[in-house]
């Protein structure tokens, strides 16, 4: 299996090259040249556990990894002691009126957000890839984060040999717990820095540093290379495909769905479009998913795109109570556009150029029709998010974090409008305790107090277990308080790496 770029079809790189490099030289994203059809293997896969399913699925895509290498990566990444319930994922069945919901809780890992699912394994993929492609080189991982990727990447890469990781986050754009998680990060190869700007500023500047030929040359002289832990990296997306396939198989194995052709809708609270794209990839491989319902907060650029075919980031940026979705440029949409335009690198290049210069683009009719057929979309603001948390807690005795609440809200509207009551998997992306103030407020608790008191109150009212890893941060020393302008990210990186300009 080889990989091409969304902007250059003639490219042909191996999986390990794609993972090591993160993003293609001309700025495109790596995609596999084809997707294996696993329909015929679903029955046998359904009898395996998560780890065995993961190995099998990875082996289709990581064809220059040996079986032992894949086993090593998977078994270390998903060690039972790393996850609250021993298994990486947990599904909670919820009957809400005529709706059958399977809440796919992806936040029982070390940093309490779904990003752990991919970022626990990416360091293993990356170090294995570096051994094949860049013997002796140090990988410098640059991360732009809206809060959760940063911590999950730091935790995944801390003290991993031959790597150094620098995380940039928007100065006023993350929750207090997310900030605490990052600022107290341990490890000798880690660094965290706030940026005066929003997430899009962070992501744009980091992408620019990545693809700057001059900086790349400077790194090479010092025996280093850049890599990415953002969802532009194929090694981040692939592990996410696994949990959609695995969850569907669990529904089948447990008799929740009749057979392996039963359609199930998928609802995803979306920011960079990575998580929902992974669900689409599962469908390409033969999982009979129905609609993909893309849920946004007030930064609803995707809602408009999926309803009308025009992507327009020229709009106000809102700082919301679901900060990990405060994004106006969803990087992974580029991959979807590549697939739905019939692998047209020309179209993708044109649209991405227009996005760069005008801040907006409109896709052609035939591509748009495919988008409309596959996807539905909706959005809700902070107030509606809070109301949804309150309502689902009262009526279903189920406590949602703010991001997952956006998904539940949008799903309710979707069913109301379409009467499509096929069962649905809703991706539950974070622990409510990562956004405790907003959650506490929503369920009527006093929030004018210390964060850990709020957490204790939420626990007392809901009975939901407080993750050990969040409790442990309480008395940890703050190690980082760097702040940089968005235009000086480049200098910050070079100085940090000890490379003189
Ligand atoms: C990152 C994140 C999202 C958005 O996921 P994308 O893959 O960027 O679309 C949603 N919820 C939470 C809690 C997140 O951390």
């Amino acid at each position: 299996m080889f990989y091409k770029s969304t902007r250059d079809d003639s490219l042909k790189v191996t999986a390990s090259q794609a993972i090591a490099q993160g993003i293609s030289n001309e700025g495109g994203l790596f995609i596999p040249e084809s997707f294996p059809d696993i329909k015929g293997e679903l029955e046998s896969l359904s009898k395996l556990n998560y780890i065995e399913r993961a190995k099998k699925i990875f082996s289709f895509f990581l064809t220059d990894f040996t079986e032992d290498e894949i086993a090593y990566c998977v078994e270390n990444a998903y060690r039972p002691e790393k996850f609250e319930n021993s298994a990486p994922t947990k599904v909670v069945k919820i009957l809400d009126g005529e709706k059958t919901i399977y809440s796919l809780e992806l936040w029982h890992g070390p940093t309490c957000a779904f990003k752990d699912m991919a970022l626990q394994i990416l360091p293993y993929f990356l170090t294995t890839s570096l051994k094949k492609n860049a013997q002796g080189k140090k990988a410098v991982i640059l991360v732009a984060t809206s809060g959760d990727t940063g911590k999950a990447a730091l935790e995944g890469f801390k003290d991993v040999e031959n790597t150094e990781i620098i995380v940039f986050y928007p100065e006023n754009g993350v929750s207090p717990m997310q900030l605490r998680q990052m600022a107290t990060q341990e490890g000798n190869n880690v660094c965290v820095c706030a940026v005066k700007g929003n997430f899009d500023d962070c992501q744009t500047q980091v992408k620019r540093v990545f693809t700057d030929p001059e900086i790349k040359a400077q790194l090479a002289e010092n025996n280093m290379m850049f890599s990415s832990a953002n969802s532009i990296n194929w090694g981040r997306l692939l592990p996410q495909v696994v949990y959609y396939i695995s969850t569907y198989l669990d529904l089948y194995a447990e008799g929740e769905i009749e057979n392996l052709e039963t359609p199930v809708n998928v609802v995803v609270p979306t920011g960079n479009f990575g998580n929902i794209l992974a669900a689409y990839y599962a469908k390409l491989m033969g999982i009979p998913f129905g609609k993909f319902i893309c849920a946004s907060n007030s930064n609803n650029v995707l809602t408009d795109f999926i309803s009308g075919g025009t992507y327009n980031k020229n709009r106000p940026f809102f700082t919301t109570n679901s900060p990990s979705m405060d994004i106006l440029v969803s990087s992974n949409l580029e991959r979807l556009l590549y697939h739905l335009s019939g692998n047209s690198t020309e179209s993708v290049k044109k649209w991405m150029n227009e996005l760069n210069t005008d801040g907006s683009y409109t896709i052609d009719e035939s591509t748009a029709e495919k988008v409309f057929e596959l996807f539905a979309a909706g959005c809700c603001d902070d107030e509606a998010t809070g109301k949804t948390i309150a309502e689902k807690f009262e009526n279903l005795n189920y406590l949602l974090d703010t991001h997952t609440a956006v998904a539940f809200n949008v799903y309710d509207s979707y069913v109301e409008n379409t009467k499509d009551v096929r069962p649905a998997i809703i991706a539950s992306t974070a622990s409510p305790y990562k956004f405790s103030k907003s959650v506490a407020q929503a369920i009527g608790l006093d929030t004018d107090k210390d964060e850990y008191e709020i957490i204790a109150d939420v626990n007392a009212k809901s009975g939901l277990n407080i993750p050990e890893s969040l409790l442990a941060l309480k008395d940890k020393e703050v190690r980082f308080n760097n702040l940089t302008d968005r235009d000086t990210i480049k200098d910050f990186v070079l100085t940090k790496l000890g490379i003189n300009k």
Side-chain angles (χ1 to χ4, degrees):
M1 170 84 74
F2 289 95
Y3 291 76
K4 301 184 288 193
S5 157
T6 49
R7 301 187 199 178
D8 182 1
D9 247 346
S10 65
L11 216 71
K12 200 171 176 173
V13 304
T14 62
S16 65
Q17 281 170 326
I19 290 169
Q21 212 178 311
I23 184 168
S24 187
N25 285 331
E26 79 299 330
L29 308 183
F30 291 116
I31 52 248
E33 57 187 359
S34 65
F35 284 83
D37 184 346
I38 61 168
K39 265 204 205 82
E41 306 190 43
L42 293 181
E43 185 70 48
S44 64
L45 278 171
S46 75
K47 303 197 166 65
L48 305 178
N49 66 19
Y50 194 91
I51 286 186
E52 296 307 319
R53 288 172 186 164
K55 286 182 194 167
K56 187 86 192 165
I57 293 160
F58 292 149
S59 70
F60 295 125
F61 291 98
L62 308 177
T63 50
D64 65 333
F65 283 49
T66 66
E67 203 176 309
D68 283 350
E69 283 169 340
I70 290 177
Y72 166 80
C73 294
V74 175
E75 281 162 20
N76 279 296
Y78 299 128
R79 280 202 306 271
E81 66 268 24
K82 285 188 184 176
F83 294 86
E84 210 176 356
N85 315 296
S86 301
T89 63
K90 177 182 169 187
V91 173
V92 177
K93 181 178 182 178
I94 299 167
L95 297 174
D96 184 3
E98 53 185 351
K99 288 170 282 205
T100 305
I101 297 168
Y102 299 97
S103 179
L104 170 55
E105 294 183 356
L106 299 165
W107 42 266
H108 296 286
T111 77
C112 310
F114 88 90
K115 306 291 199 293
D116 285 328
M117 295 301 300
L119 282 162
Q120 280 299 312
I121 197 161
L122 182 65
Y124 292 100
F125 282 166
L126 186 68
T127 47
T128 308
S129 297
L130 288 174
K131 280 190 191 126
K132 295 180 192 294
N133 292 290
Q135 206 89 51
K137 265 198 190 152
K138 178 194 255 188
V140 178
I141 324 285
L142 295 187
V143 180
T145 185
S146 53
D148 288 330
T149 289
K151 175 60 184 179
L154 289 161
E155 201 53 39
F157 278 101
K158 76 167 177 214
D159 294 327
V160 171
E161 59 169 348
N162 276 329
T163 70
E164 178 141 355
I165 173 165
I166 309 176
V167 171
F168 295 97
Y169 66 91
E171 187 186 8
N172 297 312
V174 300
S175 82
M177 184 58 85
Q178 288 176 316
L179 179 59
R180 189 190 293 263
Q181 282 185 307
M182 290 191 281
T184 59
Q185 179 64 46
E186 292 166 358
N188 290 318
N189 62 340
V190 303
C191 176
V192 176
C193 181
V195 176
K196 292 181 192 162
N198 61 36
F199 172 72
D200 288 319
D201 299 322
C202 293
Q203 176 155 269
T204 308
Q205 292 304 324
V206 164
K207 237 178 158 180
R208 210 162 274 171
V209 175
F210 251 117
T211 43
D212 184 326
E214 205 178 311
I215 307 180
K216 272 167 63 175
Q218 281 173 299
L219 253 73
E221 278 168 32
N222 289 274
N223 207 26
M224 300 179 192
M225 65 182 282
F226 281 134
S227 190
S228 165
N230 279 99
S231 56
I232 52 174
N233 193 319
W234 176 246
R236 263 255 337 243
L237 274 182
L238 182 57
Q240 297 182 224
V241 179
V242 174
Y243 55 69
Y244 286 110
I245 296 176
S246 183
T247 301
Y248 186 86
L249 294 175
D250 281 340
L251 296 186
Y252 170 67
E254 286 154 20
E256 292 290 333
I257 51 176
E258 205 172 318
N259 56 47
L260 289 165
E261 264 124 56
T262 310
V264 173
N265 291 334
V266 182
V267 191
V268 185
T270 301
N272 227 351
F273 211 77
N275 204 8
I276 196 165
L277 182 71
Y280 169 69
Y281 284 160
K283 181 174 173 121
L284 283 186
M285 294 171 69
I287 300 294
F289 284 142
K291 276 275 183 198
F292 299 104
I293 299 152
C294 175
S296 302
N297 61 27
S298 295
N299 297 296
N300 56 2
V301 59
L302 286 167
T303 315
D304 292 346
F305 173 73
I306 288 169
S307 336
T310 296
Y311 195 98
N312 186 354
K313 72 165 176 122
N314 302 315
R315 60 179 72 211
F317 179 95
F318 296 104
T319 300
T320 74
N321 62 11
S322 47
S324 301
M325 298 169 9
D326 290 347
I327 296 175
L328 292 178
V329 181
S330 299
S331 298
N332 270 300
L333 189 62
E334 176 167 346
R335 283 188 165 106
L336 182 78
L337 294 176
Y338 173 85
H339 301 301
L340 298 188
S341 65
N343 303 357
S344 171
T345 52
E346 287 314 310
S347 302
V348 170
K349 269 191 284 196
K350 177 171 162 283
W351 297 327
M352 293 303 123
N353 271 335
E354 289 170 4
L355 182 63
N356 241 340
T357 51
D358 312 332
S360 92
Y361 60 86
T362 299
I363 57 175
D364 63 88
E365 244 169 64
S366 106
T367 306
E369 259 163 40
K370 289 180 203 155
V371 172
F372 303 154
E373 194 186 314
L374 284 161
F375 291 84
C379 58
C380 74
D381 63 12
D382 280 7
E383 199 191 327
T385 305
K387 277 192 183 147
T388 303
I389 293 173
E391 187 200 313
K392 301 302 172 193
F393 181 62
E394 268 162 40
N395 299 344
L396 309 171
N397 195 25
Y398 188 59
L399 190 64
L400 305 170
D401 93 282
T402 46
H403 304 73
T404 310
V406 169
F408 272 72
N409 178 293
V410 168
Y411 179 58
D412 281 350
S413 308
Y414 170 80
V415 172
E416 206 171 295
N417 295 333
T418 61
K419 313 289 175 223
D420 175 4
V421 290
R422 288 177 285 183
I425 293 170
I426 300 186
S428 171
T429 49
S431 160
Y433 291 109
K434 279 194 100 163
F435 307 93
S436 48
K437 191 170 177 182
S438 305
V439 171
Q441 219 158 26
I443 58 173
L445 295 170
D446 175 15
T447 56
D448 199 13
K449 39 171 103 173
D450 169 78
E451 182 165 32
Y452 279 95
E453 286 171 4
I454 298 177
I455 285 176
D457 291 351
V458 172
N459 170 257
K461 181 152 183 175
S462 69
L464 181 70
N465 222 12
I466 308 171
E468 281 300 321
S469 62
L470 297 186
L471 284 175
L473 296 177
K474 194 172 173 193
D475 301 314
K476 270 204 182 156
E477 171 202 358
V478 170
R479 293 186 65 209
F480 303 100
N481 54 10
N482 302 304
L483 176 65
T484 184
D485 280 317
R486 51 190 169 179
D487 304 328
T488 48
I489 284 183
K490 174 174 156 182
D491 306 311
F492 185 90
V493 170
L494 291 175
T495 306
K496 175 75 193 121
L497 297 176
I499 296 176
N500 296 322
K501 289 194 294 166

